[in-house]
Amino acid sequence: MWKRFSLLLVILTFLLPLGGCGYNQIQKNEEGVFAAWADVEATYQRRADLIPNLVETVKAYAAHEKETLMAVTEARASVGKAQVSTGDLGNQAAMQQFQQAQGALSGALSRLLVVVERYPDLKANQNFLDLQHQLEGTENRINVARQRYNKAVQVFNTSIRTFPNNLTNNFLLHLERKEPFKAEGGADKAPQVKF
């Protein structure tokens, strides 16, 4: 009986400090990063799903603008190839490749919208207007999802680097920092609009 009690006492002595070591909080923060990343992927998927409808609508009005339409289609395809799994969230190169693919798609969509300006009938078409509004809303959602992801990454990275959680991470978990979204090269300069 005494041996059981002393064994229980030893186990409790080692388990009680674990409640304050941050083990559970670090796990919770990492899950927050994964959830925020899933939101980012979902908003990018929404945009990718809208693009074929947008391209088909523009195609009907601007059949001779094949180059721009092909650029949008190719950029969408390259986005599908540049996937980042939750295991790659700490991989700076994978995150940069993903961001470049998304940036290329954004650029192609911008060129498509310039083409649309040349076709007043298309701009007035209700289907196109609906798609354009959905795409604009999706771009806003992407921005919000990126911001939430970056916040979740900040919380997680801070939790594994501050005391006493850093000890828990170093001795038990061995989790790496996650990569936040960064601005694309040249994003610090305002675009020039020429008429």
Side-chain angles (χ1 to χ4, degrees):
M1 173 94 164
W2 176 249
K3 285 184 181 184
R4 284 187 189 170
F5 179 72
S6 59
L7 180 62
L8 183 61
L9 188 60
V10 169
I11 291 172
L12 286 176
T13 303
F14 284 108
L15 289 181
L16 285 178
L18 287 179
C21 72
Y23 183 88
N24 290 334
Q25 189 60 45
I26 292 172
Q27 300 292 328
K28 184 176 164 185
N29 292 344
E30 186 176 39
E31 289 301 319
V33 170
F34 295 157
W37 181 250
D39 290 344
V40 169
E41 288 182 322
T43 53
Y44 278 133
Q45 184 62 51
R46 184 180 196 285
R47 177 171 72 173
D49 292 345
L50 286 173
I51 289 171
N53 295 329
L54 183 65
V55 168
E56 287 303 315
T57 304
V58 173
K59 227 188 248 187
Y61 282 88
H64 61 282
E65 297 289 352
K66 282 185 178 180
E67 183 179 314
T68 302
L69 296 171
M70 289 300 294
V72 171
T73 304
E74 289 170 6
R76 182 180 179 269
S78 72
V79 163
K81 294 175 188 171
Q83 295 298 318
V84 175
S85 69
T86 54
D88 293 329
L89 294 179
N91 183 339
Q92 187 175 7
M95 292 294 288
Q96 191 173 21
Q97 181 184 11
F98 182 81
Q99 284 181 260
Q100 285 174 345
Q102 293 296 339
L105 182 56
S106 293
L109 286 173
S110 295
R111 288 191 302 279
L112 180 63
L113 293 177
V114 168
V115 166
V116 169
E117 291 295 320
R118 297 182 199 150
Y119 299 94
D121 291 341
L122 176 58
K123 287 192 305 184
N125 178 288
Q126 189 60 45
N127 290 336
F128 176 76
L129 290 175
D130 290 343
L131 284 169
Q132 189 175 15
H133 290 303
Q134 287 184 34
L135 199 55
E136 288 169 1
T138 300
E139 292 298 326
N140 289 335
R141 288 178 186 179
I142 288 169
N143 188 44
V144 168
R146 283 177 173 176
Q147 290 172 346
R148 288 180 180 160
Y149 171 76
N150 282 350
K151 182 65 179 167
V153 166
Q154 177 195 7
V155 168
F156 172 76
N157 288 346
T158 301
S159 74
I160 65 169
R161 296 182 70 208
T162 55
F163 184 81
N165 295 359
N166 63 341
L167 297 175
T168 302
N169 187 46
N170 289 338
F171 293 116
L172 296 175
L173 299 171
H174 309 290
L175 299 174
E176 297 291 325
R177 294 178 74 235
K178 306 298 183 205
E179 283 294 317
F181 270 97
K182 297 179 178 106
E184 294 178 32
D188 57 337
K189 295 183 178 39
Q192 292 183 352
V193 178
K194 295 180 183 178
F195 294 102

